[in-house]
Structure formats: C-alpha cells, structure tokens
Amino acid sequence: MKINGYTRTCGLIGNPVEHTMSPAIHNTLAEAMGENMVYVPFRVPENSVKEAVEGARALNLLGCNVTVPYKSAVLPYLTEIDSLAEKIGAVNTLVRTDNGFKGYNTDMPGLYRAMCEDGVKLTGEKVLILGAGGVARAVAMLLADKGAEKVYMLNRTVEKAEQVVNEVNAIAGRSFAEAMVLDDYRRLPGDRQYLCIQATNVGMFPKTEEAVIEDTDFYQKVHTGYDLIFNPAKTRFMELTQAAGGRAYNGLKMLLWQGIIAFELWTDKKVGAELAEKAYSAMKQAMHME
Ligand code: NAP
C-alpha cells in the first residue's frame, strides 16, 4: 500500500475497536482494486461521538464505520439518514456528502447477502429470533421486509422483546411478530419448522462453552440455525443445532458483506465474487482461522 498526498482515509468509530476485522476487509479491497485509500480504527471515548463526527468531517474522511456503542448515538450528528437505517434506528456506515455524512445500515443487507449465499430463505418462513437487542431488532425489520410468515422473538427480558415486537409490527403494518420469554419455546408448535437466528451475546469468545438455550428438545424444532456471532467460528449454538440434525452457520459472512457494501458506498465501485473471497480469507487470517 503506497500512502501519498492523495490518499483518502476511512475508519471505524467505536469503543473498544482493538479486535476489529474491518481493516483486514477494507485494506485488502482497496489494495486489490487500486483505490488510494486506507482504513484505520478510531477508539472514541464516552460522550465524544459528536466531536468524532465533526472531526471526521474536518479531516476530510471519505467515510466511517460505526460500531458498539455508537450505532444509534451517532444519528443526531448526521445530515442525512438512509430510509432503511431510519427504520432500523441504527447506522453502521457513514458516507461523506457535501455538507456532512449520510448514515446507512449495511449490517442487514450484509446479513441478507450472506443468507442468500448460504441458501437460507426468509420469504414465507417461520423464524425464531433469540435476543431483543439492537441487532435482533434490525433482524426483525429485515424479516418484515422480506416477507417472513411469522416471527417469535425470545428474550431473557421479555419486556424488551415486547417493545421491539410492537414497534416492528407497527412499522411493518402487520402483526407477524410475537414476543416470548426464552423458556416459552416449549409451546412452539411442530418440529423442524423454524429458521432460528441467534442474536444474543451468549457463546461469544471467551465464554465459548455457553448457549442461550441448552435444552436439546429446542433444537429439534429448528431446521436451520444462524448464529450472528463470528468468534468462535463454531459456537455451542451451532453445535447443538447440528447435533439435532439441522444446518448451522456463523456470522462471519455477515461481517464480510456489511464491510463490502460499505466499501461499495464509499468508492462507488462493485466488488466481484473473486475479490469478496480474497477479503474473506484476509479476514479469517486476521482472526487466525487460516
Ligand atoms: P445487545 O443490544 O447488547 O443485545 C444483547 C442481547 O443478548 C439481549 O437480548 C440480551 O438479553 C441478550 N443476552 C445477553 N446476555 C445474556 C444471557 N446471559 N442470557 C440470555 N440473554 C442474554 O447486542 P447487539 O448489538 O444486538 O449484538 C448481538 C449479537 O450480534 C452479538 O453477539 C454480536 O456479536 C452480534 N453481531 C454480529 C455482527 C456480524 O457482522 N456478524 C454484527 C453486529 C452484531 P436481555 O435483553 O435480557 O439483556
């Protein structure tokens, strides 16, 4: 990578940022596509997100990714918000405009792209979402958009799931989503009926031996388990799904595609399949998986 006076900078705003895989994705893509661009992490201290966005503009940054805990906190400082991001209520990508930054959410298009590649269908499906945090809410919006038949949102704190479900049903204009306490899976009808999207933090490194539901009966209900966690590459949730005869996937491809879609927004160029594979390898190498 040759850095000179024309080099443009993109970066990640978050806290912490030290374990990010995004530099591996973007610097690989920039180099392979001959873009004079460099991507670096920016750890932003608490209560400084406004200054970070203003600073990014003053320093002529081409764009930014935004991660935990600023995906919603950044919204008031943007000059424009894409309609999907507005519905989701969170952005993970900022794109420079003439007078500031426009916010996008590439997490959900990224997840959708990953699921399409993995042959996981959403239209007409019955879906279980485990969790009711920021990502679970966005997943419910995606499912509304793609025409899932029915969604059950199971969460430890049922009040949070109820609030999310009410919002999503109102935005979708149909009552397709229902909230449940985690343990209520016992009253879900039928076996092998459900796509289950794991959107809690349970099972993430270093607590890799945990799954949010341990009961093997639960996994009999699931034909496909999609864990949004990507570290470890094979979570306990995935092991339990496979042991019950289901297909299981992790969140690595979602991470890859949210990055590629952000890169395409910044550079106005399309990333082909071969290059996507190259970025995927770079990402796995950065995680010491290859
Ligand atoms: P969040 O807003 O903090 O929500 C966390 C969720 O996990 C809540 O529903 C919480 O339940 C539940 N939870 C946490 N600890 C639990 C426990 N011990 N038992 C039962 N439930 C528990 O987090 P988020 O931002 O939505 O992120 C969720 C997941 O998505 C994370 O694992 C993250 O790694 C993953 N993610 C993946 C990608 C990707 O590109 N693959 C991108 C973004 C996020 P309560 O409401 O009861 O607290």
Side-chain angles (χ1 to χ4, degrees), residues 28-255:
T28 300
L29 291 176
E31 190 151 8
M33 291 177 80
E35 282 291 313
N36 192 350
M37 186 197 113
V38 63
Y39 184 102
V40 287
F42 297 113
R43 179 194 259 258
V44 174
E46 213 183 325
N47 301 324
S48 299
V49 69
K50 178 174 185 277
E51 288 80 355
V53 175
E54 286 171 357
R57 176 153 191 264
L59 292 170
N60 197 29
L61 262 59
L62 180 61
C64 284
N65 282 138
V66 184
T67 189
V68 177
Y70 300 127
K71 286 185 179 186
S72 298
V74 77
L75 293 173
Y77 312 114
L78 306 179
T79 43
E80 236 180 302
I81 300 172
D82 171 68
S83 62
L84 174 68
E86 188 133 42
K87 274 198 231 166
I88 292 171
V91 300
N92 74 324
T93 302
L94 310 186
V95 178
R96 190 179 190 80
T97 61
D98 289 342
N99 55 350
F101 286 102
K102 180 169 179 179
Y104 292 83
N105 188 304
T106 72
D107 279 333
M108 285 312 108
L111 174 60
Y112 184 61
R113 179 66 192 252
M115 286 182 152
C116 289
E117 273 196 5
D118 289 329
V120 175
K121 192 169 129 295
L122 300 180
T123 309
E125 283 291 304
K126 298 188 185 77
V127 188
L128 311 176
I129 301 175
L130 304 182
V135 173
R137 185 184 186 283
V139 167
M141 286 305 314
L142 175 72
L143 293 169
D145 197 47
K146 299 298 174 195
E149 182 190 309
K150 179 80 197 175
V151 169
Y152 296 96
M153 180 172 275
L154 286 72
N155 198 41
R156 176 178 62 179
T157 314
V158 73
E159 295 77 15
K160 271 200 215 166
E162 279 162 357
Q163 192 187 333
V164 172
V165 154
N166 288 340
E167 285 169 20
V168 172
N169 281 339
I171 294 172
R174 62 188 176 108
S175 291
F176 79 117
E178 197 178 305
M180 276 184 167
V181 197
L182 266 182
D183 281 350
D184 266 4
Y185 63 82
R186 291 187 182 84
R187 65 178 176 87
L188 289 168
D191 277 355
R192 300 246 168 278
Q193 298 277 310
Y194 303 93
L195 160 66
C196 180
I197 302 175
Q198 203 301 111
T200 76
N201 305 322
V202 183
M204 244 163 88
F205 180 83
K207 294 187 170 176
T208 56
E209 74 293 345
E210 295 179 2
V212 70
I213 298 177
E214 286 285 345
D215 183 359
T216 51
D217 285 353
F218 169 73
Y219 295 90
Q220 293 297 333
K221 299 189 179 290
V222 173
H223 61 69
T224 305
Y226 215 101
D227 202 330
L228 304 189
I229 289 175
F230 50 83
N231 186 13
K234 191 163 186 183
T235 61
R236 171 110 180 107
F237 167 83
M238 291 167 65
E239 282 170 3
L240 287 162
T241 303
Q242 285 174 338
R247 296 189 298 160
Y249 302 91
N250 65 24
L252 256 188
K253 277 198 188 150
M254 170 183 171
L255 184 68

Side-chain angles (χ1 to χ4, degrees), residues 2-9 36-38:
K2 194 172 154 205
I3 294 178
N4 58 23
Y6 295 96
T7 305
R8 298 301 305 270
T9 306
N36 192 350
M37 186 197 113
V38 63

